[in-house]
Amino acid sequence: MVEFVVTTACAGVLAAALGVAAATDLSCRIVPNGCALAVALSGLVRALARILAGTGGAAPLLRAAGGGAL
């Protein structure tokens, strides 16, 4: 249940950050660093929540770290 709440909250943060990024990109041709940070942190929080919930082992965190490195 906690994993579902965290996943839903992270999806909301992701949607909001991408919406702000799209709006500022269209108007100013820049993407704020805060949007990129929010997207990265929401993925990391979701991966940590999956580990703490006991679903998936360390694989979600490794995928999040790999995505962050890219």
Side-chain angles (χ1 to χ4, degrees):
M1 179 66 177
V2 174
E3 181 185 355
F4 175 74
V5 172
V6 171
T7 299
T8 304
C10 287
V13 169
L14 178 64
L18 291 177
V20 169
T24 57
D25 186 36
L26 286 173
S27 65
C28 302
R29 298 272 192 222
I30 60 168
V31 176
N33 290 335
C35 291
L37 182 63
V39 169
L41 287 179
S42 69
L44 181 62
V45 167
R46 184 173 180 266
L48 288 174
R50 289 190 68 190
I51 288 173
L52 292 175
T55 57
L61 187 59
L62 292 174
R63 281 193 300 262
L70 290 175

